[in-house]
Amino acid sequence: MADDPLSTTFAALADPTRRAILARLADGAATVKELSEPFAMSGPAVSKHLRVLERAGLITRGRDAQWRPCTLDATPLREVTEWADGFRRFWDDSYRRLDTYLERLKEQEDDH
């Protein structure tokens, strides 16, 4: 994976299983077994996904006696949101220009 945090976060988010795991963790802490339940994969396979998420800083893994809960840490997603926000402004501006253009076309049509 790349050295910059944004690339690491995007790489972790690239997999639908990891995105589903993050969505589940948004509801609260869960064990590997609990996170494995909705997927047709083994606990070790889910653990590999968890390691990628952990390296990206998107989850933390704790220890509570025999229970090893995973919890969401959405902090890296803030950088993704800030990066994507520039594109939101681009699309807002593009739609505004399109609205202006369509309004001019309508006025020209009404004039004829």
Side-chain angles (χ1 to χ4, degrees), residues 50-68:
L50 293 175
R51 282 194 294 280
V52 172
L53 293 170
E54 191 172 23
R55 279 194 303 271
L58 291 163
I59 67 166
T60 57
R61 296 169 93 175
R63 184 177 286 284
D64 183 10
Q66 299 293 347
W67 194 57
R68 295 213 42 196

Side-chain angles (χ1 to χ4, degrees), residues 25 27 29 40-41 63 76 100 103:
L25 291 174
D27 292 334
M41 65 178 68
R63 184 177 286 284
T100 301
E103 193 60 39

Side-chain angles (χ1 to χ4, degrees), residues 63-81:
R63 184 177 286 284
D64 183 10
Q66 299 293 347
W67 194 57
R68 295 213 42 196
C70 297
T71 56
L72 175 66
D73 182 351
T75 304
L77 296 176
R78 183 177 299 127
E79 188 176 352
V80 170
T81 301

Side-chain angles (χ1 to χ4, degrees), residues 1 13 18 28 34 39 41 49 52 67 111:
M1 274 189 221
L13 294 173
R18 291 193 287 269
E34 291 168 332
F39 306 107
M41 65 178 68
H49 286 294
V52 172
W67 194 57
D111 289 342

